[in-house]
Amino acid sequence: MKLPFLTFLFLLCTGLLAQETYLVTINVDDAETREPLSYVSLQVLGTGEGGITDETGRWNIRLLKGGYTFVASFIGYGNDTLSVTIDEPQTLNIRLISASATLSTVTVTTNDARDRLERPLMGVERLNIKQIEALPLALGEVDVFKGLQLISGVSSAGEASNGLSVRGGTIDQNLLLLDGAPLFTPTHLFGLFSIFTPDAVGSVNLYRANIPARYGGRLASVVNVQTRSPNTRNFKLQGGIGLVSSRLAVEAPLTRDGRLQVLAAGRFGFNDFLFGLVERLRNTKSRFADGSLKLRYLANDKNIFTFSGFYSKDFYQIDLLNSFGGIVATSNQYDYKTLNGTMDWLRVINDRTSFLTKVISANHNPRILFPQEASDAVIEYGSGISYNAVEASLDYRSASGHHLSGGAQLVRYDLQPGQLDPGGSPAISFTELPAEQALELTFFAEDEWTVGEALTLSAGLRYTRFSQIGPGTLRSYEPGEELLEETLVGTTEVGAGTPLTTYDGFEPRLGLSLKLTDRLRFKAAYAVTRQYLQNIYNSTTPLPTSRWLLSNQHVVPQQANLFTAGFYQLLGDKGLEFSLEGYYRKIDNLLEYKPGADFFLDPTVETDVLQGQGQAYGFELGMTKTAGAVTSSVNYTYARVRNRVKGDNFNTTVNRGEWYNGYFDQPHTFNGTLGWDDGKTHRVGFNLVVQSNRPFTEPNGVIELDGNVVPLFLERNNARLPLYHRLDFSWTIHNPHMKKSRWVGDWTFTAYNIYGHRNAYNIYYLPRLGSGDEEVFLDSPLASYKLTIFGAPIVSLSYSFKFE
C-alpha cells in the first residue's frame, strides 16, 4: 500500500510543480499627477498574498493562471480594486485618487473615456499639467488658461485678456479657485498668461453645466485648480529657464518617516529688456513672480493635515497712457499682489466615510502709481478685497450605489473700494471710500446615485443667505426716478454688524446619465446659480485694479437658470470619443453700465449701473482621440449671447430696449489639435483656432464740438471685429542623451501664430494720421485703426529639467 500512495503523492507534486506561474508587475501612481506612490499596501483577495510597492511604486508577484482581484490602499487616498485574468506575464497600472480630492466634489476621477461616458456629469473637463505642457503656447509659457481655451465653449476677450469667457459669460462670472481659495486677478504680464505656478499644478477641473452644489457665487462656471500633493520619499528638484520666466520647484520629505512632506515652487519673470527691443515700448516695464507652497502631514491612518499657500506679485509700467481718472502722470504703474492660504483637515472615519474641515483666506491688493513730472511726488490709488471662510463637509459612499456629500460654509467679505493718497502732490487731496462688508452662509447637499446599469442620477441643493452688513450707508432716491445724485433724498447710517440688505435663495442642481447602448449615453442637466459679488469695469476686459462690488440695496444679485443636454459615444477601441452638447442659459438682473460710466473713486456706483436680461445658447460638437502615438481633438462651437436692458428712459435703456449682442457673442469657433509622441524622446504638437471675433461699438456718425470732430456712439456692440485665426506649433525633445540619469532635461521650441496673422484686438477712432494704415470713416477727418497684440510669429525656446 505504501508504494501506490507514494507514487500518487509524487505524481501530484510533479503536477503542481509543473503548473506554470506568471510574473505580474503592478505599478501604482497618483491619478492626478501620475507620480509613482511608494509603500502602497496591495492584497490579492482570497489568496492571503500581499505586499507593498517599492520606492518606484512597483510590486512584483508570481501567480498561477486564473482570475484575481487586487486591492490597493494608501493613507490619504481612496482604495481601488482591479480584477483581471492572468494567463501570461502582465504589467498592471492602478491609479489612486487623493481622499481630499474625492471628498471635495463629485468630479471626473480619471481621464478614462469609459468613466467620462458613465458619470452623470455634463460640461465637465479635466486637464492635468502633462496635457497642458504638451500645448504650443505663446512665449513658451505653460499656461492653464490657454489650455482651457482650446475646450469648446471657452474663449478669451483677446490675446491680452484678463480671464476667460465660458459659454458667453463675462469674465467675472467664473469662480476661479486654487486649492479652494478664490483668485480675483488671475493673470500676469498684461493678461497674457495665468498666474498658476506651473510646477505646482496637479489638475484643473472646469465645470460649466451641472455645477456641484458645494460651489456657488458665480453664474457661468467654476475653474478648480489643485496643486499637486508631495508624494515622495526622496528629494526632487525641477524647473526651467525660458524667454519670459524662470522657475524652480523642490519636493522632499521633512521627517525621517516621510509623514511630513513639502512642495515649494516659484516662478520669476523680468521682461524689461524685451520691451526695450521695440522703440515704441522702450519705457514699458514688466516684472512678476508667483510661488506655491504645500505641506502635507500624515498624522496616522485616519488623519491628514494639508496647508496650501500661494503668493503672486506683479508690476508693470505703461507710458503710452498718461492720464487716468483725471490724474496726469509721466506713466501709469500697476502694482498688485495676491496672498492666499488654505488649511485642510481630512478625517477618514472608515472605508466609506470621511470628514473634511477647511479654513480659507484670500487677499488681493491692487495699486496704481502716478509719478509726477518734475517732482518726486507719486500719487497712489489703492483698493483691496479680502475673503475669509470656514467650511465643513461630510462624504459617504453607500453599498447601495449612493455617493452622498453635504456641508456648510461661512464667508466674510471685506472690500476697500478705493483710496487716493496724494503722495506729496499739492494738487491732490486724500480721498477714501467707505469700506464694504458682507456675510454669506451656505448649506449644501448632493447625492450621486447609480440606480441601475442603465441609469445614474445626481441631485444637489444649495441654500445661500447673503447679507451686506455695517458699518455702512443706506441711500434713498426719489421713488420711480432714475438713480442720480440729483434724485438722492437722504442717507441712513448703519452700525457695525447690522444688516443693510439681505438676499437668500435655493439653487437646485440636477444631472442624469442614461445608457442607450454599451457605447452611447444621453445626459441632461439643470442648474440655478446666483452671483453676489461683481467686478465692475467700463471696458471689455477688466484691469487688475478694476473695482469689486457687493450686491446691495440697489444692485440686485444676478441669477441664471442653465439647461443642458447631449449625447456621448465611444467609437471603436482606439480611445475615440464623440460628443454633442447643447445649452441654454437665462440670466435675470444682468449687470450693465450707462454710457460713459466711471467708477474711479465713485461713492454712488449704483447711479452708473444698469440691470437687465441676458441669454446664452448654442451647441458644441467634439471628437477626441486619446490613445496611441498620434492624438487629436476637433471641436466646433456655435454660441450666441444676447442682452436686453429696457429702462424707464433713454439713460437707463440700451439700444432702444431691444436685444443686442453681448460682449462675448462669438457665434462660430473651431479648435483643432494634433499631437505625436514617439514615447521616447520627441513630442510634436499643432493647434489651430478659427473664431468669430467679439462685438465692438462702432460710431453711428460724427459731430463737431468746439472745432473738433468726435465720433458719435448711439448703439452698443453694433459691429464685429474681423475673423480671428492662428496656427501654433511646439516640439519637445525629452532627455536628448537618452540615458537613464537622475538629471533629465527637456528642450521645447514653440511658435505661436506661425503665419503671423494680425488679429484685431480692438478698433478705435482718431483723426487721420496719414500713416497709410487707417481706414477713412464716413468721409470725415476721422479714421479707424486696428490694434493688434501679436502681429508676427512669436518664437521661443525653453529648457526644463528634473532631478531626483
Side-chain angles (χ1 to χ4, degrees):
M1 293 294 296
K2 288 184 179 181
L3 183 60
F5 175 76
L6 292 175
T7 303
F8 171 76
L9 184 61
F10 174 78
L11 293 174
L12 177 62
C13 293
T14 303
L16 290 175
L17 290 172
Q19 283 188 276
E20 187 177 2
T21 61
Y22 301 101
L23 177 65
V24 179
T25 299
I26 298 179
N27 296 312
V28 184
D29 60 25
D30 185 292
E32 291 184 357
T33 66
R34 300 295 192 266
E35 292 287 329
L37 296 177
S38 54
Y39 311 115
V40 175
S41 175
L42 288 163
Q43 293 182 341
V44 186
L45 293 185
T47 67
E49 298 286 348
I52 60 173
T53 60
D54 61 20
E55 293 184 353
T56 66
R58 178 172 298 180
W59 181 59
N60 296 319
I61 186 174
R62 299 195 70 91
L63 294 171
L64 297 171
K65 181 178 180 179
Y68 296 91
T69 297
F70 301 90
V71 178
S73 59
F74 188 50
I75 183 171
Y77 288 80
N79 292 352
D80 196 13
T81 60
L82 179 64
S83 297
V84 295
T85 298
I86 303 299
D87 55 8
E88 61 180 350
Q90 293 190 34
T91 298
L92 307 174
N93 297 306
I94 296 179
R95 286 174 176 157
L96 298 184
I97 304 163
S98 158
S100 58
T102 302
L103 180 62
S104 63
T105 182
V106 179
T107 185
V108 179
T109 55
T110 75
N111 281 317
D112 180 72
R114 173 65 63 177
D115 185 75
R116 285 196 294 270
L117 180 72
E118 296 177 354
R119 297 297 296 277
L121 295 177
M122 294 192 66
V124 179
E125 297 289 343
R126 182 183 179 90
L127 300 174
N128 60 48
I129 192 62
K130 294 186 182 299
Q131 292 172 291
I132 298 171
E133 287 175 343
L135 298 173
L137 302 169
L139 302 174
E141 287 297 299
V142 176
D143 183 27
V144 168
F145 278 6
K146 290 299 187 292
L148 289 171
Q149 287 167 18
L150 295 178
I151 294 172
S152 57
V154 182
S155 61
S156 71
E159 286 169 311
S161 69
N162 189 31
L164 301 171
S165 171
V166 178
R167 288 180 169 172
T170 58
I171 291 171
D172 71 321
Q173 290 176 354
N174 306 306
L175 178 61
L176 304 175
L177 299 174
L178 178 59
D179 291 330
L183 295 169
F184 300 103
T185 297
T187 58
H188 284 311
L189 199 61
F190 313 103
L192 292 181
F193 50 88
S194 59
I195 64 176
F196 305 104
T197 311
D199 292 320
V201 174
S203 65
V204 181
N205 291 314
L206 169 67
Y207 303 94
R208 64 189 192 278
N210 54 336
I211 298 170
R214 71 173 49 247
Y215 298 126
R218 299 292 191 276
L219 295 188
S221 75
V222 175
V223 178
N224 184 23
V225 180
Q226 294 283 338
T227 58
R228 60 188 181 89
S229 296
N231 293 307
T232 181
R233 297 274 176 158
N234 302 309
F235 174 83
K236 290 183 179 180
L237 182 71
Q238 68 182 66
I241 300 173
L243 183 66
V244 173
S245 71
S246 298
R247 64 188 198 275
L248 186 68
V250 176
E251 187 176 359
L254 295 180
T255 58
R256 182 168 296 181
D257 60 7
R259 290 184 178 273
L260 178 60
Q261 300 171 332
V262 64
L263 168 67
R267 175 174 56 170
F268 176 78
F270 185 85
N271 310 111
D272 295 359
F273 74 96
L274 290 176
F275 297 110
L277 301 177
V278 181
E279 180 63 31
R280 190 165 176 260
L281 301 177
R282 191 168 298 278
N283 294 321
T284 300
K285 300 181 183 300
S286 173
R287 60 197 71 123
F288 64 88
D290 56 62
S292 297
L293 175 68
K294 194 160 193 177
L295 290 167
R296 190 164 182 263
Y297 178 58
L298 310 177
N300 50 48
D301 61 353
K302 297 292 185 182
N303 296 280
I304 306 168
F305 297 90
T306 305
F307 170 79
S308 298
F310 176 77
Y311 176 77
S312 175
K313 171 78 170 175
D314 280 76
F315 174 86
Y316 59 84
Q317 172 182 295
I318 305 176
D319 65 352
L320 302 177
L321 303 172
N322 56 11
S323 178
F324 185 92
I327 301 173
V328 179
T330 58
S331 64
N332 286 350
Q333 298 177 349
Y334 293 83
D335 186 342
Y336 56 97
K337 63 181 179 180
T338 293
L339 180 62
N340 287 3
T342 304
M343 177 67 79
D344 295 355
W345 172 29
L346 176 64
R347 170 68 177 173
V348 180
I349 299 172
N350 53 47
D351 290 344
R352 299 185 181 276
T353 311
S354 54
F355 185 78
L356 179 67
T357 304
K358 299 174 73 77
V359 178
I360 302 167
S361 178
N363 297 274
H364 180 59
N365 299 103
R367 299 186 305 159
I368 308 179
L369 306 176
F370 305 96
Q372 299 298 287
E373 191 171 4
S375 170
D376 292 333
V378 178
I379 302 170
E380 177 182 326
Y381 168 76
S383 62
I385 180 169
S386 177
Y387 170 105
N388 293 282
V390 59
E391 178 182 321
S393 54
L394 184 70
D395 187 87
Y396 173 72
R397 297 175 183 267
S398 74
S400 58
H402 289 271
H403 181 186
L404 299 162
S405 60
Q409 183 187 63
L410 178 63
V411 179
R412 179 182 170 98
Y413 299 93
D414 290 277
L415 273 65
Q416 173 46 257
Q419 175 182 291
L420 187 65
D421 186 340
S425 173
I428 300 295
S429 299
F430 179 84
T431 305
E432 183 175 21
L433 297 179
E436 301 175 13
Q437 306 80 216
L439 291 175
E440 183 180 321
L441 178 62
T442 300
F443 298 95
F444 57 89
E446 194 154 36
D447 180 19
E448 182 179 328
W449 179 27
T450 303
V451 182
E453 183 182 355
L455 180 63
T456 307
L457 302 173
S458 70
L461 185 63
R462 178 183 178 89
Y463 171 78
T464 301
R465 183 177 179 84
F466 176 90
S467 295
Q468 185 192 16
I469 59 174
T473 303
L474 289 172
R475 289 183 285 274
S476 301
Y477 294 85
E478 292 182 11
E481 296 294 327
E482 181 183 352
L483 302 187
L484 298 167
E485 292 186 14
E486 294 80 6
T487 60
L488 180 65
V489 296
T491 60
T492 302
E493 298 299 322
V494 176
T498 303
L500 282 79
T501 310
T502 298
Y503 299 98
D504 67 344
F506 289 95
E507 301 176 23
R509 315 284 172 84
L510 302 172
L512 172 149
S513 177
L514 179 63
K515 179 180 178 180
L516 302 179
T517 70
D518 186 53
R519 292 178 174 270
L520 178 63
R521 288 258 175 174
F522 169 76
K523 296 186 181 184
Y526 170 71
V528 174
T529 53
R530 286 184 175 85
Q531 184 160 335
Y532 301 101
L533 179 67
Q534 286 77 217
N535 195 198
I536 54 175
Y537 48 92
N538 54 4
S539 61
T540 302
T541 182
L543 293 170
T545 52
S546 57
R547 183 169 171 179
W548 289 90
L549 175 68
L550 296 167
S551 294
N552 55 39
Q553 177 189 9
H554 302 290
V555 180
V556 181
Q558 302 177 79
Q559 179 175 321
N561 288 261
L562 176 62
F563 303 86
T564 317
F567 293 90
Y568 303 83
Q569 187 172 17
L570 299 183
L571 303 172
D573 299 317
K574 302 298 183 181
L576 194 62
E577 305 172 52
F578 169 81
S579 64
L580 173 62
E581 190 168 320
Y583 66 92
Y584 174 79
R585 181 169 64 237
K586 176 180 177 292
I587 303 175
D588 295 316
N589 308 317
L590 177 74
L591 204 65
E592 264 286 12
Y593 312 108
K594 293 180 180 179
D598 184 4
F599 304 111
F600 184 70
L601 292 173
D602 184 3
T604 58
V605 293
E606 64 269 14
T607 61
D608 279 327
V609 169
L610 301 174
Q611 292 195 273
Q613 297 173 292
Q615 55 183 359
Y617 56 89
F619 67 87
E620 299 162 357
L621 182 67
M623 186 173 292
T624 303
K625 179 181 181 297
T626 57
V630 177
T631 58
S632 62
S633 69
V634 177
N635 63 68
Y636 165 77
T637 301
Y638 174 77
R640 300 307 308 267
V641 183
R642 308 282 284 168
N643 297 342
R644 182 170 68 179
V645 179
K646 193 172 184 179
D648 297 325
N649 57 43
F650 179 80
N651 290 334
T652 58
T653 299
V654 177
N655 289 18
R656 302 173 299 280
E658 301 172 357
W659 289 98
Y660 61 94
N661 294 333
Y663 293 99
F664 297 101
D665 178 68
Q666 297 168 292
H668 305 285
T669 299
F670 172 85
N671 287 320
T673 65
L674 178 66
W676 173 75
D677 190 339
D678 69 355
K680 298 177 181 179
T681 302
H682 297 280
R683 184 176 69 227
V684 176
F686 293 89
N687 69 263
L688 173 67
V689 179
V690 182
Q691 183 176 49
S692 303
N693 218 326
R694 62 174 179 81
F696 77 103
T697 301
E698 184 179 67
N700 299 92
V702 296
I703 58 174
E704 186 173 334
L705 292 175
D706 299 327
N708 297 315
V709 176
V710 296
L712 178 64
F713 298 92
L714 298 177
E715 295 179 311
R716 191 169 301 185
N717 295 348
N718 57 352
R720 190 178 297 279
L721 296 172
L723 183 73
Y724 178 98
H725 55 90
R726 75 168 199 273
L727 177 67
D728 310 324
F729 166 77
S730 72
W731 177 21
T732 296
I733 303 175
H734 171 69
N735 191 16
H737 297 294
M738 300 185 67
K739 296 179 181 178
K740 285 190 175 182
S741 171
R742 298 180 66 187
W743 181 286
V744 176
D746 294 357
W747 289 96
T748 300
F749 170 80
T750 62
Y752 182 88
N753 192 12
I754 291 176
Y755 50 82
H757 182 64
R758 298 185 64 212
N759 289 300
Y761 178 76
N762 202 357
I763 291 179
Y764 57 97
Y765 299 84
L766 290 174
R768 291 201 296 272
L769 302 176
S771 63
D773 294 332
E774 72 272 12
E775 293 184 13
V776 176
F777 180 70
L778 296 178
D779 294 325
S780 73
L782 295 180
S784 63
Y785 295 85
K786 182 172 72 173
L787 174 63
T788 297
I789 303 298
F790 293 136
I794 305 298
V795 178
S796 64
L797 181 66
S798 61
Y799 176 75
S800 301
F801 63 86
K802 290 185 179 181
F803 173 79
E804 183 176 356

